[in-house]
């Protein structure tokens, strides 16, 4: 510590004044504790925020998704209630077994759903739920490009 001797003019006495040195050590322990608690909170809360079927929903004004080298695997729901895998008509109870067989021979696990606009939303969600229950989680919805942006810019 530095000590400075100062002589005052009035009394002529000497007095000592100590200079306060700035503290150059930072205690990071509380910071690390807070960060670890936040990490644990986010690790617990993140899985709880996923609700429903995990799906990549393309916006109608978005660019097309890349499908890779293979022809995209599509499940089509027509307006008259017919379900098709690629171009083959399939009964509802055969959708999952057929998709599993096809996906076992493919490199890509992505399945695209094409649904007519007249199909009730409940039907589309039922098919998506069946695919999800079968372990198919990489699902894309096919739409036509050039639709309304709905204020998206």
């Amino acid at each position: 510590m530095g000590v400075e001797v100062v002589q005052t003019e009035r009394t002529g006495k000497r007095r000592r004044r100590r200079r306060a040195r700035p503290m150059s050590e930072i205690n990071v322990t509380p910071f690390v504790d807070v960060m670890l608690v936040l990490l644990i909170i986010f690790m617990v809360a993140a899985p709880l925020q996923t609700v429903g079927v995990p799906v990549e929903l393309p916006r109608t004004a978005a660019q097309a998704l890349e499908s890779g080298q293979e022809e995209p695997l599509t499940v089509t729901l027509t307006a008259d209630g017919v379900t098709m895998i690629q171009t083959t008509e399939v009964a509802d109870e055969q959708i999952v077994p057929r998709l599993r067989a096809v996906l076992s021979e493919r490199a890509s696990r992505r399945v695209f759903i094409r649904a007519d606009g007249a199909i009730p939303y409940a039907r589309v969600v039922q098919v998506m739920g069946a695919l999800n229950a079968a372990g198919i989680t990489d699902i894309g919805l096919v739409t036509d490009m050039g639709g309304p942006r709905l204020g998206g810019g």
Side-chain angles (χ1 to χ4, degrees):
M1 290 218 138
V3 176
E4 180 180 346
V5 177
V6 177
Q7 185 172 4
T8 60
E9 292 181 20
R10 283 192 232 162
T11 58
K13 293 183 182 178
R14 291 184 179 181
R15 68 174 192 201
R16 292 183 179 185
R17 186 177 12 167
R18 291 187 176 184
R19 288 189 183 168
R21 288 181 138 181
M23 187 172 142
S24 62
E25 298 173 6
I26 298 174
N27 188 2
V28 295
T29 304
F31 177 71
V32 171
D33 290 344
V34 169
M35 294 307 292
L36 288 175
V37 168
L38 288 174
L39 176 68
I40 291 170
I41 290 171
F42 285 121
M43 287 173 57
V44 170
L48 300 176
Q49 293 178 353
T50 304
V51 178
V53 181
V55 177
E56 293 179 30
L57 294 174
R59 297 186 181 112
T60 56
Q63 299 298 322
L65 296 173
E66 290 185 21
S67 61
Q69 300 293 341
E70 297 179 310
E71 180 181 352
L73 181 60
T74 60
V75 175
T76 305
L77 305 173
T78 63
D80 53 354
V82 176
T83 304
M84 299 169 48
I85 296 177
Q86 298 296 75
T87 57
T88 307
E89 187 173 335
V90 178
D92 289 348
E93 59 272 3
Q94 291 296 314
I95 295 172
V96 172
R98 291 240 181 128
L99 280 176
R100 282 185 179 161
V102 172
L103 288 173
S104 67
E105 299 174 7
R106 294 174 61 97
S108 172
R109 304 280 303 160
R110 176 172 280 179
V111 175
F112 292 97
I113 296 179
R114 296 178 59 228
D116 190 283
I119 296 288
Y121 181 69
R123 175 71 178 134
V124 177
V125 172
Q126 288 171 353
V127 172
M128 289 171 53
L131 295 179
N132 184 268
I136 301 168
T137 57
D138 194 0
I139 302 171
L141 296 177
V142 179
T143 62
D144 285 336
M145 292 176 52
R149 294 189 182 270
L150 302 176

